[in-house]
């Protein structure tokens, strides 16, 4: 076994037998951690043709938004995320690509903010026609293999998706090749060194087993960017109160404390726990050990 990031051959068993606590889609998984760069990954990695079975029809990140309080909160979240990301974007005519757009809500929120030239890639086509009807260009493809758009981009956004790929290195290399000089990758991912990861262990929502293959921290994200050839790397703290709530839910589900059935991978109380955890999240950010990270890689 060789670390795909730093070529080390020394590992520790990090999390053993991590079940899919949210969707029960697959058998429990073991994660190892590289002793040198602290990259965490599934060992063994899943087979490429098993991946689609990890995303059942009820997988919440692909569901179209319905109505009601959950939708309102979700929409608010995407809107805030788009606003945050827009602070990093130069002008409304920038050419922007989102990889793994899921239900398409971030692209829609960017559209609402006035961004004109938006494109997206996902291997699932559920949101395709909705996005295309709004003038957003869509490609149904695996960014690991190919980014099938003509020309280069000013920004590539990866919003909690890099940790889903079998080969995140190939994805970022492909992004690098499709960026104009000076252009940026904006990447969000769970922080494998965050306090919540330490507290919850194998129940940590960031593992999202079996869907998350590689888990990063600030240190190895920098290593990754440098290895691919990005010239400048910035890593910032990012909040994700849902991560606390889902970690808590995973713990209750796994230990049969909560016997209620999950809907779309969520328990009835998780949204309330997530609101209640917001202050903890803020504190975690202040202490510099956030639940999530935002990385900006400049070519
Ligand atoms: Zn390593």
């Amino acid at each position: 076994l060789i670390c795909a990031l730093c070529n080390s051959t020394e590992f520790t068993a990090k999390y053993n037998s991590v079940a899919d606590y949210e969707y029960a889609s697959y058998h429990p998984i073991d994660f190892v951690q590289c002793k040198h760069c602290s990259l965490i990954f599934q060992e063994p990695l899943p087979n490429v043709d098993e991946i689609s079975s990890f995303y059942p029809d009820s997988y919440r990140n692909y569901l179209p938004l319905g109505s009601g309080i959950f939708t309102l909160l979700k929409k608010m979240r995407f809107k805030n995320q788009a606003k945050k990301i827009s602070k990093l974007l130069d002008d409304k005519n920038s050419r922007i690509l989102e990889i793994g757009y899921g239900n398409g809500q971030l692209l829609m929120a960017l559209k609402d903010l006035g961004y004109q030239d938006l494109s997206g890639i996902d291997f699932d086509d559920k949101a395709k026609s909705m996005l295309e009807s709004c003038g957003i260009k869509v490609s149904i493809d695996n960014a690991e293999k190919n980014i099938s758009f003509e020309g280069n981009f000013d920004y590539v956004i990866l919003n909690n998706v890099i940790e889903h790929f079998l080969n995140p290195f190939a994805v970022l290399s492909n992004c690098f090749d499709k960026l104009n000089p000076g252009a940026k990758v904006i990447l969000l991912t769970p922080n494998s060194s965050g306090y919540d990861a330490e507290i919850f262990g194998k129940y940590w929502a960031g593992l999202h087993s079996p869907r998350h293959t590689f888990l990063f921290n600030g240190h190895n994200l920098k290593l990754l960017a440098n290895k691919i050839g990005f010239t400048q790397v910035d890593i910032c703290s990012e909040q994700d109160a849902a991560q606390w709530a889902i970690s808590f839910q995973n713990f209750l589900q796994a230990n049969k404390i909560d016997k209620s059935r999950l809907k779309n991978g969520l328990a009835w109380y998780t949204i309330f726990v997530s609101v209640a955890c917001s202050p903890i999240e803020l504190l975690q950010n202040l202490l510099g050990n956030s639940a999530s990270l935002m990385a900006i890689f400049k070519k």
Side-chain angles (χ1 to χ4, degrees), residues 2-8 10-12 14-15 31-42 162-163 168-169 192-193 213-217 219-221 223-224 227:
I2 293 180
C3 175
L5 185 51
C6 77
N7 298 329
S8 159
E10 293 184 287
F11 299 92
T12 48
K14 182 70 176 171
Y15 305 109
F31 289 83
V32 295
Q33 180 165 41
C34 172
K35 273 191 177 177
H36 289 257
C37 73
S38 53
L39 181 69
I40 294 172
F41 55 95
Q42 293 188 18
I162 196 67
E163 65 278 5
F169 317 98
S192 69
S193 298
T213 42
F214 289 85
L215 285 308
F216 298 91
N217 64 11
H219 166 72
N220 51 43
L221 278 174
L223 211 63
L224 173 63
K227 193 178 172 180

Side-chain angles (χ1 to χ4, degrees), residues 13 22 55 91 118 125 152 177 189 204 223 246 266 286 297:
E22 294 163 78
Y55 300 89
D91 72 87
L118 299 166
D125 66 357
N152 285 349
D177 293 342
T189 195
W204 177 48
L223 211 63
I246 295 168
L266 295 175
L286 289 175
F297 300 163

